[in-house]
Amino acid sequence: MKFTSTFVCLAAAAPAAAFTPTRGARSARVAPVRMSESVLDTNTAASTEIAILDSLPLAADYGFDPLGLSKMDLFPASASDKARSPEIVLRDYRDAELRHGRLAMLAALAWPMQELLSPTIARIANREFGEPGLSDILAETAGRSPSVLNGGLEQGALLGFLIGVGAGIGAIDSVSLRIKEEMGNAFVPGDFGFDPLRLLKGASPEAVQDMQAKEINNGRLAMIAVTIFVLEEAITGLPIVQLTPSLFHPLWESQSTWSFLDAAFGVASAAQRIPVEQAVDMLSQ
């Protein structure tokens, strides 16, 4: 069963632990370009009551917020500071969105990859090492990725792996919160100084913002994709790589690809198979 209709997903980013920015010097700040397209209501460029935030204007802020979620301060910091400015709230939401988007991009890649590779790895583990653990997971989930809806998460090895991943994410999160607090109003959401490939070294501000927009848009797409993966597999009971094989297998393994090639180039292929003598006779007539 395939789902070809468009899924409209309401993604409410779980608030990451936030902090109250330092209330030091305040002066006028530069408002987002094209303020009319931003989710911020008013132009606060001339305000002396708003903290200067280096993260504004936010990349990929298209002003799309039909539910008004950006106007609701649901972060823990709101419990101690009821008057947080809209800019600070929006920046914290962007930080949470980036975290979820990055995790979703990893999940969108890992989800189909493990469904493609797990059967082969399970056979090797059974035959060479006598370890049936992965086979047990595949049997429980019917070849689908383990999840809350698909099952398989209670298996011993997988449970230990998930605990380790959770601990690793917590350690990274603690470091990111420390960096965020140290930088104060200069903090840019998602910028934790991690760029081992130096992709942004020497880049202009325009190039940096363009890269930020690409990251956030790909993260949004990944969050929608993973949601569709979960729903399709829970409803149909089949792995996503079987529901839409054309998306996860090479083109040469697709029967539709070969049918297209046969229809488009079948005549040329048949001509190449004509014996030389017959081709000479045809040309001499």
Side-chain angles (χ1 to χ4, degrees), residues 113-156:
M113 285 298 295
Q114 67 179 1
E115 291 184 352
L116 291 172
L117 299 178
S118 289
T120 301
I121 297 175
R123 285 194 296 270
I124 295 175
N126 278 335
R127 184 174 61 249
E128 303 295 336
F129 305 103
E131 294 291 341
L134 184 54
S135 297
D136 294 339
I137 296 176
L138 292 176
E140 180 179 348
T141 63
R144 298 171 296 171
S145 290
S147 68
V148 174
L149 298 180
N150 293 343
L153 296 180
E154 78 285 353
Q155 299 284 349

Side-chain angles (χ1 to χ4, degrees), residues 23-52:
R23 297 181 177 276
R26 296 177 181 272
S27 60
R29 51 168 291 276
V30 178
V33 180
R34 303 192 308 274
M35 176 60 68
S36 60
E37 298 181 13
S38 174
V39 295
L40 293 174
D41 288 331
T42 58
N43 188 328
T44 57
S47 174
T48 59
E49 300 299 323
I50 301 300
I52 301 174

